[in-house]
Structure formats: C-alpha cells, structure tokens
C-alpha cells in the first residue's frame, strides 16, 4: 500500500512540475480514478466549484495535488478549453458543496460527522481539519507548492 501510494505521489509531483512549467496551461481539473471505490476527500476535490470554473477545476497553482489518501489514484488533467475565464474564489463553496450531499456522504468527505458539523458551522475549513496532526509529507498540498520545493533544492554535498 505504501509503495503504490508513494509511486503515485512521485508521478503526480513530476506531473505538477511539468504543468507548472507550461505557460499556456492555466487551469487543471481533478479527476476521480476509475477505481475510486467510495465517497471521500477525492469527491470533494473532483466535484467542488471553488473558483466558478466548473466542478473540480482550479487555477493550476491552487489545485490540490493527489494523492489525497493511501491507494488514491486520482489524476490532474490540464484544461486548455477554458478561454478567458474570470476565476474568483468563493469562500462559501466548500460549505455549499457539503450541504448538497446527503449527511452520510458529507461525513465521509469531511472524515466524520463531527468534522462535518465543524465545517458547516463555519468553525473550521476542510483543509484545516484534513491537515490537523498530519506529518508534513501527508498534508494537503497544491501544485504550486511542488515547484517551490524544486526551485530551492537542498545542497547535501558539504
């Protein structure tokens, strides 16, 4: 399980670097794997419309980078068909999305009924709950974060 997830992480890190280098690609879409077995955080990333660009579509630097959990095979796909959109972050989109889901599915996306309640009561963001107590390697990362780490490599030659 660890090896498969880490191989996918390495693949998506490389894909993020390549997409970030391409100026003509401004937007990407998170797509669920065809093997995706159940409702979870992946459904949020692939179906929420945070920027008014459509479900799962993000400005590339702001796009969440898979994998989102062990055995996650979600993908990031470039969207070159969007011409002159006017993306605007909607801070209420997260809660609106969770409210549209049946309570059980919203709890699966948030991680529990208690976490769902905290998000819907505007006490916490899904990202904050997801990252709470996690090792840095497993926190919610964006595609733009990957490039910054490559631009500042650590020199171990000393």
């Amino acid at each position: 399980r660890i090896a498969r997830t880490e191989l996918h992480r390495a693949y998506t890190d490389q894909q993020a670097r390549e997409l970030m280098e391409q100026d003509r690609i401004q937007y990407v879409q998170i797509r669920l794997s065809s093997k995706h077995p159940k409702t979870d955080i992946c459904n949020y990333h692939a179906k929420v419309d945070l920027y008014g660009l459509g479900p799962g579509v993000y400005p590339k630097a702001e796009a969440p980078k898979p994998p989102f959990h062990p055995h996650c095979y979600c993908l990031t796909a470039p969207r070159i068909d969007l011409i002159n959109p006017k993306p605007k972050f909607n801070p209420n989109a997260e809660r609106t999305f969770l409210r549209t889901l049946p309570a059980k599915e919203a709890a699966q996306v948030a991680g529990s009924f208690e976490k769902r309640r905290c998000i819907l009561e505007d006490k916490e963001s899904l990202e904050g709950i997801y990252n709470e107590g996690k090792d840095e390697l497993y926190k919610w990362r964006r595609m733009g974060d990957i490039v910054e780490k490559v631009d500042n490599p650590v020199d171990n030659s000393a």
Side-chain angles (χ1 to χ4, degrees):
R1 179 172 98 158
I2 293 170
R4 293 170 76 186
T5 302
E6 292 308 312
L7 281 171
H8 190 60
R9 183 181 317 284
Y11 168 76
T12 58
D13 283 357
Q14 180 60 34
Q15 181 188 40
R17 284 189 287 274
E18 290 171 2
L19 287 170
M20 291 301 295
E21 289 174 1
Q22 296 185 24
D23 292 335
R24 65 187 174 93
I25 296 173
Q26 297 297 314
Y27 305 99
V28 296
Q29 183 170 16
I30 302 299
R31 297 204 177 151
L32 292 174
S33 164
S34 61
K35 298 176 186 178
H36 197 263
K38 63 179 184 171
T39 301
D40 61 16
I41 192 69
C42 299
N43 294 76
Y44 169 78
H45 291 306
K47 296 179 180 178
V48 71
D49 187 3
L50 291 175
Y51 293 91
L53 298 168
V57 181
Y58 302 81
K60 69 180 177 181
E62 297 301 316
K65 194 203 71 65
F68 305 119
H69 57 79
H71 286 301
C72 177
Y73 291 106
C74 292
L75 299 170
T76 306
R79 288 292 304 266
I80 58 174
D81 59 324
L82 298 174
I83 301 171
N84 296 324
K86 304 276 190 250
K88 183 177 179 189
F89 180 73
N90 178 356
N92 298 315
E94 179 174 276
R95 282 180 288 290
T96 300
F97 174 75
L98 288 176
R99 284 187 184 108
T100 65
L101 297 175
K104 183 178 178 183
E105 282 185 36
Q108 290 171 317
V109 168
S112 71
F113 281 99
E114 178 61 23
K115 291 176 181 178
R116 171 189 165 267
R117 185 187 60 73
C118 284
I119 295 165
L120 292 178
E121 291 178 1
D122 201 20
K123 293 180 182 175
E124 191 79 49
S125 71
L126 185 55
E127 182 175 1
I129 286 174
Y130 182 85
N131 286 341
E132 189 174 306
K134 286 197 175 164
D135 182 273
E136 195 64 35
L137 180 63
Y138 300 104
K139 288 187 176 185
W140 186 325
R141 294 168 52 196
R142 290 180 172 72
M143 287 181 51
D145 297 339
I146 302 304
V147 174
E148 290 173 13
K149 290 186 183 236
V150 173
D151 289 342
N152 299 314
V154 176
D155 183 9
N156 293 326
S157 61

